[in-house]
Amino acid sequence: MNIAVVGAQWGDEGKGKLIDILSQDSDITVRYQGGNNAGHTVVVGEEEYIFHLLPSAILHNDKVCVIANGVVIDPQALICEIEELEKRNIKVTPRRLKISGHAHVVMPYHRILDRLRESKRKNKIGTTGRGIGPCYADKVTRCGIRTIDLLNFRILKSKLEDNVKEKNEIFYKVYGHHDFSFGDILKEYLRYGKKIGQYICDTALYLNEASNKRKSILFEGAQGTFLDIDFGTYPFVTSSNSIVGGVCSGSGIPPMKIDKVIAVVKAYTTRVGEGPFPTEFTTSLGEEIRTKGNEFGATTGRPRRCGWFDSVLVRYAVIINGASELAIMKLDVLDDLEKIKICTAYRYKGKIYRDFPLDFEVISEAKPMYEEMQGWQIPTHGIRRYNKLPVNARRYIERLESLLKVKVKYISIGSERDELIIR
């Protein structure tokens, strides 16, 4: 079976843990969009692993991991990630890691442009400054450099000459930034090509052949639905399609080969960076949840904004992703609360919105309408069966099922790999 796992909020939903568990029963795990602006954290015993580009299934020795064409790759970051794993005795061989030759490459000028552009903006986007957006922009304007180009001196030299000439003029005239050295970048990226060349192949062909042989494939989403470039809270979004539709364009797998979509949410809501957030806490509860849930970005370390569960938001994500199952993560973070709220609609200028609004002003200014439920105030750590959860915890989950019109299959009650209830 081929399964896609997508975030149904603003990213950081806990997809890494679920993917780590599901990948045990999958032959291949595929990352299909985003770059090293995303992060998955996986806890195994006393060890914590943070992944930015590599699928977390790399922790399983008998699994194949694919970084597909929809990903933009910073080769320096990727090499560091591979080397860090190998220091911890996890071998990353060409049999276990395959990188699409069509994946675009993050260049030094992409990272610099990302930061310079953000510094000039009156309304900050909240970019990680990793160069992801500018790299995707070059891809769309057809001047990007792909991983396969790092293995061909003539192609890389030709593309880079054009790019550096253009970028230097723009950077100097618009930002007053010094020139980039063509020779230094060429040497640096040829070195990267030698290091990652052994992994580069036609991953679309590989994945379709594997699917035809009945191999099971797990597609690992980065970020979340409301950071999607088309369906997110634009412009406070990422630069790729993080919804399930991105699987096909980002990996070369046709839609009919995706058998199941699992949407992942937290039992509450978080968001990193700028942008609208209707259910954001305005009291000290935000700091309490942030501390208990360790809500700090795996990639940047930035504190995450926290708020109540937003069923308007998540229901829209369930619809556009075609999710057939839901995973609720970090239920245990709510264990101590006497009362818990669920947003069931928005109100703006006297109008009630039960569907997620298109108008940015409405999303930004609307007031959430809440349904209040009794908390359970009983620790859920150590529970492994659904019927052993506190009654009010089950009522909360079942109310979410009713509002979202999708079954909750997985419930996480801690950060450890085995702290998961499967219904």
Side-chain angles (χ1 to χ4, degrees):
M1 178 176 283
N2 298 336
I3 301 171
V5 175
V6 296
Q9 293 164 316
W10 279 292
D12 306 310
E13 298 94 349
K15 297 182 294 295
K17 175 179 175 175
L18 183 65
I19 289 161
D20 177 56
I21 292 164
L22 294 176
S23 65
Q24 296 177 45
D25 296 319
S26 300
D27 299 304
I28 303 163
T29 301
V30 183
R31 173 81 185 274
Y32 60 87
Q33 48 81 218
N36 62 316
N37 58 339
H40 286 328
T41 302
V42 176
V43 178
V44 184
E46 298 296 314
E47 295 283 330
E48 181 180 85
Y49 300 87
I50 298 177
F51 297 98
H52 300 289
L53 284 165
L54 290 170
S56 53
I58 202 74
L59 296 175
H60 304 289
N61 288 327
D62 58 338
K63 307 300 180 184
V64 176
C65 293
V66 173
I67 301 176
N69 58 279
V71 180
V72 293
I73 298 173
D74 185 329
Q76 182 181 40
L78 177 60
I79 291 163
C80 286
E81 210 166 309
I82 292 170
E83 289 176 348
E84 184 61 33
L85 284 175
E86 294 194 330
K87 284 179 191 173
R88 297 165 84 169
N89 296 315
I90 297 170
K91 298 299 179 186
V92 183
T93 64
R95 182 187 66 80
R96 299 190 58 223
L97 174 63
K98 301 184 185 300
I99 299 172
S100 171
H102 288 162
H104 280 247
V105 178
V106 176
M107 307 298 289
Y109 42 79
H110 292 140
R111 292 190 292 267
I112 299 295
L113 179 58
D114 211 0
R115 295 167 196 154
L116 288 174
R117 187 177 283 161
E118 184 79 346
S119 71
K120 294 279 188 182
R121 292 181 63 95
K122 180 181 176 182
N123 297 312
K124 309 291 186 189
I125 295 294
T127 175
T128 60
R130 303 295 173 91
I132 308 306
C135 184
Y136 274 115
D138 275 5
K139 176 179 180 177
V140 173
T141 54
R142 295 163 294 180
C143 63
I145 291 170
R146 305 195 293 183
T147 57
I148 195 67
D149 300 332
L150 305 184
L151 309 184
N152 187 319
F153 174 81
R154 292 183 299 278
I155 293 293
L156 180 59
K157 179 175 180 290
S158 174
K159 285 188 174 184
L160 191 59
E161 276 177 337
D162 279 348
N163 277 340
V164 169
K165 181 181 177 182
E166 179 192 41
K167 306 297 183 194
N168 279 343
E169 284 198 37
I170 293 171
F171 273 68
Y172 178 73
K173 291 177 180 176
V174 177
Y175 300 105
H177 191 274
H178 60 79
D179 286 356
F180 292 98
S181 168
F182 163 73
D184 289 349
I185 297 175
L186 180 63
K187 288 177 187 174
E188 180 185 359
Y189 278 72
L190 285 170
R191 283 199 307 272
Y192 293 152
K194 287 179 181 176
K195 288 193 173 184
I196 67 171
Q198 60 182 321
Y199 306 113
I200 295 172
C201 65
D202 187 334
T203 56
L205 192 61
Y206 169 77
L207 290 172
N208 278 282
E209 287 176 348
S211 181
N212 291 340
K213 292 175 183 175
R214 305 295 182 192
K215 297 287 186 182
S216 56
I217 305 173
L218 179 65
F219 295 94
E220 171 183 317
Q223 287 97 25
T225 295
F226 291 93
L227 293 177
D228 184 272
I229 188 68
D230 288 300
F231 292 97
T233 48
Y234 190 91
F236 300 96
V237 295
T238 194
S239 304
S240 57
N241 287 115
S242 49
I243 63 167
V244 72
V247 170
C248 301
S249 59
S251 70
I253 280 281
M256 68 284 293
K257 289 188 177 179
I258 301 170
D259 301 304
K260 183 194 293 185
V261 179
I262 302 172
V264 184
V265 296
K266 278 179 183 148
Y268 47 101
T269 310
T270 64
R271 173 164 206 168
V272 171
E274 306 300 322
F277 187 169
T279 65
E280 185 170 13
F281 295 131
T282 56
T283 64
S284 59
L285 184 57
E287 188 58 42
E288 181 184 328
I289 295 294
R290 183 181 300 115
T291 301
K292 187 169 183 184
N294 192 27
E295 296 297 352
F296 299 90
T299 298
T300 63
R302 290 182 294 179
R304 296 173 185 143
R305 299 154 63 192
C306 300
W308 295 116
F309 192 93
D310 188 338
S311 71
V312 180
L313 188 89
V314 176
R315 175 60 188 152
Y316 190 69
V318 167
I319 290 168
I320 64 174
N321 285 296
S324 53
E325 293 178 354
L326 198 68
I328 295 183
M329 315 303 280
K330 295 194 174 184
L331 183 72
D332 57 297
V333 175
L334 305 182
D335 283 353
D336 298 332
L337 300 184
E338 183 181 354
K339 302 284 186 181
I340 297 172
K341 294 181 180 180
I342 303 169
C343 173
T344 58
Y346 305 145
R347 186 190 298 275
Y348 181 67
K349 291 186 176 180
K351 183 178 178 180
I352 294 174
Y353 293 82
R354 300 195 184 278
D355 295 317
F356 193 73
L358 291 174
D359 192 317
F360 186 78
E361 182 178 303
V362 177
I363 301 167
S364 301
E365 303 296 331
K367 301 299 180 186
M369 298 175 67
Y370 288 117
E371 183 177 299
E372 189 172 84
M373 300 190 71
Q374 196 70 32
W376 43 95
Q377 296 184 291
I378 300 169
T380 54
H381 280 293
I383 296 174
R384 296 295 179 271
R385 293 175 59 188
Y386 182 71
N387 62 5
K388 297 296 183 182
L389 281 173
V391 171
N392 285 344
R394 281 182 274 141
R395 285 176 178 159
Y396 180 65
I397 290 162
E398 286 158 19
R399 181 59 181 142
L400 294 182
E401 285 183 322
S402 174
L403 289 166
L404 303 173
K405 298 179 175 58
V406 65
K407 182 174 176 59
V408 174
K409 175 75 173 176
Y410 306 92
I411 303 157
S412 173
I413 32 74
S415 59
E416 294 287 341
R417 185 184 262 174
D418 67 337
E419 291 180 315
L420 188 77
I421 295 168
I422 302 175
R423 292 171 76 192

